[in-house]
Amino acid sequence: MSTSPFDLTGRLAVVTGASRGIGRAIAHALAQAGADIIGVSANLESSGSEVEKEVTATGHTFEAIQTDFADPTAVTALSQDLAGRTRPIDILINNAGTIRRTPAADHSDTDWNHVLQVNLTAQFTLTRALGARMIARGYGKIIFTASLLSYQGGITVPGYTATKHAIAGLTKALANEWAPHGVNVNAIAPGYITTDNTQALRDDPQRNAAILGRIPAARWGTPHDLTGATIFLASDAAAYVHGTILPIDGGWLAR
């Protein structure tokens, strides 16, 4: 039997936005640490996905659930399903997210409302349901995906920035209430990571150069760079860590 505080054997983790990028990397890493995985994404295949293959190759189980976080009714149904299961959820990774890039003066209500629903309201709906079960059990790990734009304003992404500031605040608010009940609520704040959301920045030579010029590590991060911190926060090694937003940014905020 492992005595490592980072061992997740026997734990069940829900990872939203699991079909690609950060979510896929985290799902695989949690499985490598011992957890069974429920992957949730709007476009996740019911079987045969790449993330499923990676998880099951570790010897752990994978269940795919297709849910569009832009649909409040679907998110409520997902929340009720997961909260009502016999096997409880031990770890919730709130990673699903979207972005709309438009100058603020031209940012439509449609884009604004869409980003707030996916990045904030859906996150709260799911966390509220699973968090209540965790409180009743006296155990749980909840990890949000915040952002460097939880600290800064960004450019042409007013809706995204508003949600990521809100996620940082929500992380702290829930930690204040739920820490006494054995539930750890924290967040990781990725820096500039090579995902679909940053493709436009990497394709712009001037923006790409400006971003790289400020990162002390002198490179874009990869989804794998986020996995160690996530395993830490999901494990008993972080039993006394509550309400923290942990930047994983190659030194960006220190510059």
Side-chain angles (χ1 to χ4, degrees):
M1 179 180 293
S2 173
T3 59
S4 169
F6 301 98
D7 184 18
L8 302 180
T9 299
R11 307 286 169 80
L12 178 60
V14 171
V15 181
T16 70
S19 64
R20 64 185 192 276
I22 293 171
R24 175 177 164 183
I26 287 175
H28 184 208
L30 292 175
Q32 289 178 312
D36 294 321
I37 306 297
I38 298 173
V40 185
S41 178
N43 301 306
L44 185 60
E45 302 97 318
S46 59
S47 64
S49 67
E50 292 304 310
V51 63
E52 178 180 0
K53 294 174 185 176
E54 291 169 349
V55 168
T56 56
T58 70
H60 299 284
T61 64
F62 181 86
E63 177 185 353
I65 300 178
Q66 189 175 97
T67 300
D68 184 358
F69 273 54
D71 181 349
T73 301
V75 174
T76 297
L78 171 70
S79 303
Q80 292 172 344
D81 171 22
L82 294 176
R85 294 190 176 198
T86 301
R87 183 181 180 185
I89 307 301
D90 300 294
I91 302 162
L92 171 60
I93 308 295
N94 279 308
N95 174 70
T98 191
I99 195 167
R100 293 289 186 272
R101 297 185 185 278
T102 314
D106 302 317
H107 207 75
S108 69
D109 288 347
T110 299
D111 282 352
W112 174 268
N113 292 331
H114 177 77
V115 172
L116 261 66
Q117 166 59 33
V118 173
N119 290 9
L120 181 60
T121 304
Q123 314 288 330
F124 178 67
T125 300
L126 180 58
T127 303
R128 179 178 58 197
L130 296 187
R133 282 289 307 274
M134 291 176 176
I135 290 169
R137 292 176 62 211
Y139 181 86
K141 306 286 185 177
I142 297 170
I143 303 167
F144 288 95
T145 299
S147 170
L148 291 183
L149 297 191
S150 298
Y151 304 91
Q152 301 173 326
I155 300 171
T156 72
V157 286
Y160 183 85
T161 300
T163 62
K164 293 305 182 179
H165 272 68
I167 285 296
L170 181 60
T171 297
K172 297 172 185 178
L174 295 181
N176 288 341
E177 292 191 40
W178 295 354
H181 303 284
V183 180
N184 297 79
V185 186
N186 294 288
I188 58 170
Y192 286 91
I193 308 296
T194 53
T195 66
D196 293 348
N197 280 350
T198 61
Q199 188 65 55
L201 299 177
R202 287 179 283 124
D203 288 344
D204 182 330
Q206 290 184 327
R207 289 295 303 280
N208 184 57
I211 289 167
L212 283 175
R214 177 170 168 167
I215 300 173
R219 66 172 177 86
W220 285 75
T222 69
H224 179 74
D225 287 320
L226 307 172
T227 60
T230 304
I231 290 171
F232 165 64
L233 292 174
S235 74
D236 290 339
Y240 200 58
V241 181
H242 295 278
T244 290
I245 295 89
L246 177 59
I248 309 165
D249 62 355
W252 174 277
L253 290 174
R255 190 62 175 255

